[in-house]
Amino acid sequence: MVELTAVPCSIVMAFATSSSRNREDSWFKSLFVRKVDPRKDAHSNLLTKNEESNLYKIQFHNVKPECLDAYNKLCEDVLPSIHADKYYPCELVGTWNTWYGEQDQAVHLWRYRGGYPALTEVMNKLKQNQDFTAYRKERGKMLMSRRNQLLLEFSFWNEPVPREGPNIYELRSYQLRPGTMIEWGNYWARAIGYRQHNREAVGGFFSQIGDLYMVHHLWAYKDLQSREDTRNGAWQQEGWDEVVYYTVPLIQHMDSRIMIPTKASPLQ
């Protein structure tokens, strides 16, 4: 008969505690320690659709509450004419009012085919446009503040194209930890496949000028319940939970806006 030697409880507890602590330390360090691969190219060149050279500008206008209707009417009179005029190498992708999130806010998204030269061309031409100059002057009376960002689109996202409504749109904005954009892109290149089933994916962008290491994901849903059902459905797909687990530690701050398209928006 083999004699079993009892192991003191203190040793067992010490081993269990040590093992548990090692696992916790490893998990905790994974939140902060990132392996940095040597790169010989800019992040923008690795993540975007270089062959298309599309540049985007997103504008956030905080409007005086009593002026929102007049502001929307002013934009409806001016912005579509710029969008339709081939003289300007730019397109109005979408224009919205925030429904849930920051109130009395207008959001405009423009695309410049040809990158920075197209942006510069449009700016120079609009300086000579008297109607646009009058629009800016009148608009300034209605605003409390405004800001913008220049963006590039992720290569693995859809290019935003006009769509019929009615839809609501969600703009989810992520402030990433510096140095994590490539890692974010690697995970979302796989994750986007889990979010295409209801055509909810509209566009994905990352900042070049303005707030840096900022990512914007634009989604479309029929209504708030459709949004809830679609997001819950993603968790039923194998692999989505892993993407969330590894991307959440990359985020410093995140924000969500539910937006309603205005009459002038190509995205309805």
Side-chain angles (χ1 to χ4, degrees), residues 57-65 67-76 78-79 82 92 94-99 101-110 112 126 132 135-149 171 257 259 262:
K57 178 173 68 176
I58 191 167
Q59 300 171 301
F60 300 96
H61 291 173
N62 293 316
V63 185
K64 297 175 183 177
C67 296
L68 187 59
D69 289 341
Y71 171 91
N72 286 337
K73 179 63 168 59
L74 182 65
C75 291
E76 290 167 10
V78 176
L79 301 187
I82 298 173
L92 181 63
T95 175
W96 304 267
N97 289 153
T98 299
W99 185 22
E102 196 162 354
Q103 296 292 284
D104 303 308
Q105 186 180 73
V107 180
H108 309 292
L109 182 63
W110 293 87
Y112 300 86
L126 287 177
F132 185 77
Y135 156 77
R136 282 177 57 93
K137 184 176 180 179
E138 187 65 24
R139 185 190 69 183
K141 302 174 184 177
M142 305 177 185
L143 298 182
M144 295 188 295
S145 65
R146 59 193 177 99
R147 63 186 177 91
N148 59 25
Q149 294 177 331
L171 183 66
R257 292 174 177 81
M259 308 184 301
T262 67

Side-chain angles (χ1 to χ4, degrees), residues 95-97 99 161-170 198-200 202 219-224 226 258-262 265-268:
T95 175
W96 304 267
N97 289 153
W99 185 22
V161 295
R163 65 171 67 193
E164 297 180 353
N167 296 292
I168 63 171
Y169 291 81
E170 181 176 19
N198 294 325
R199 296 185 61 248
E200 67 267 29
V202 177
W219 308 93
Y221 305 99
K222 291 301 180 184
D223 50 39
L224 289 174
S226 172
I258 301 297
M259 308 184 301
I260 303 297
T262 67
S265 180
L267 285 169
Q268 286 293 318

